[in-house]
Amino acid sequence: MRVLLVEDDDRVAEALTPALARRGLAVRRLAAGAGVLDLVGEVDVILLDLGLPDVDGIVLCRQIRAASGEVAVIVVSARGEVDDRILGLRAGADDYLVKPYDVDELVARVHAVRRRRADRGPGPTGSAELAGVRVDFDRHEVTVDGVPVSLSRKEFQVFAQIVAARGAVCEREQILAEVWGRAGAAENRSLDVHVATLRTKLGRPSLIETVRGVGYRLSGQPGGLD
Ligand code: CA
């Protein structure tokens, strides 16, 4: 297994590299984002620190995913906020690990994401379409009949979760946990408001169905998801 460690902190890299090597991983390290895209085709898994000196880690993650559907990406970051985690995953990361972490857990996740991506095969499209509504998960964009619709970050996150469920019910608790990080009364009301706004903005009131007491689902199965 070939691993590319993108980490600007020398102390972290110098501790991690031999620890990973002892566990059978072939590790290369870059101390910045520059050069990462050149190595995408030569490694199996990229461990990506979000806080890099020369480039926004989220932007780089998106570029890596655009360059290759095969390489697995684990975002490794000190940022633990739920929004950052979602941002990383939406940018195409396969997993997310918050520092400090256990090396054995990291190695377990490296093997897991590699397995998942190998099972899935290359070339996930990163977008889905239903009833003229198209969602680009990588670019965080939604268009209706080709016309861009401006959604807030949370509106996009809520809609993306419902779409990614492919017509299955997306439970309220799951959306609340992923998007708000908690499921109190205020968040529950806010979710209702966000869905109502989505229906209006998309101009497709029946696209998102309410499953009373459970959650939401799309009124059909979207195309384009792998
Ligand atoms: Ca850093």
Side-chain angles (χ1 to χ4, degrees):
M1 178 100 63
R2 302 161 302 170
V3 174
L4 175 61
L5 173 63
V6 186
E7 170 64 68
D8 61 318
D9 188 327
D10 288 336
R11 282 181 312 162
V12 172
E14 281 161 18
L16 196 52
T17 302
L20 294 177
R22 272 199 303 277
R23 290 164 176 82
L25 305 179
V27 185
R28 294 169 81 165
R29 182 235 176 167
L30 289 174
V36 169
L37 293 176
D38 296 330
L39 295 177
V40 160
E42 297 174 30
V43 296
D44 302 302
V45 177
I46 297 177
L47 303 177
L48 180 64
D49 179 26
L50 283 188
L52 294 168
D54 59 339
V55 61
D56 184 320
I58 293 289
V59 172
L60 180 58
C61 185
R62 230 174 259 140
Q63 291 170 337
I64 292 168
R65 188 48 71 225
S68 166
E70 292 181 55
V71 73
V73 180
I74 299 178
V75 163
V76 181
S77 169
R79 305 182 203 174
E81 296 298 318
V82 70
D83 277 358
D84 285 325
R85 191 159 54 82
I86 290 170
L87 218 52
L89 296 174
R90 290 276 177 265
D94 297 86
D95 203 354
Y96 191 109
L97 208 51
V98 177
K99 293 176 184 174
Y101 51 80
D102 179 76
V103 175
D104 286 314
E105 182 185 0
L106 172 61
V107 171
R109 289 189 185 217
V110 163
H111 286 291
V113 296
R114 187 61 213 153
R115 236 179 356 252
R116 280 210 305 268
R117 196 151 276 283
D119 287 347
R120 208 184 317 169
T125 61
S127 68
E129 211 239 303
L130 181 68
V133 178
R134 187 174 182 282
V135 183
D136 187 322
F137 294 106
D138 307 321
R139 298 168 64 96
H140 272 222
E141 286 174 0
V142 174
T143 58
V144 177
D145 295 332
V147 180
V149 176
S150 174
L151 299 182
S152 74
R153 185 197 224 182
K154 279 197 168 67
E155 285 162 6
F156 180 86
Q157 290 172 345
V158 169
F159 190 48
Q161 283 215 21
I162 294 170
V163 173
R166 307 160 186 245
V169 178
C170 198
E171 293 184 10
R172 291 184 70 91
E173 282 70 23
Q174 184 196 330
I175 302 174
L176 290 166
E178 284 290 329
V179 179
W180 277 267
R182 54 187 303 248
E187 290 78 19
N188 262 288
R189 277 194 301 277
S190 185
L191 173 56
D192 291 333
V193 172
H194 279 71
V195 171
T197 310
L198 274 168
R199 285 173 173 147
T200 305
K201 285 189 175 179
L202 298 172
R204 300 277 194 280
S206 60
L207 183 66
I208 302 170
E209 294 177 355
T210 301
V211 183
R212 201 160 293 282
V214 183
Y216 301 97
R217 73 171 163 226
L218 281 186
S219 58
Q221 194 160 359
L225 282 167
D226 61 334

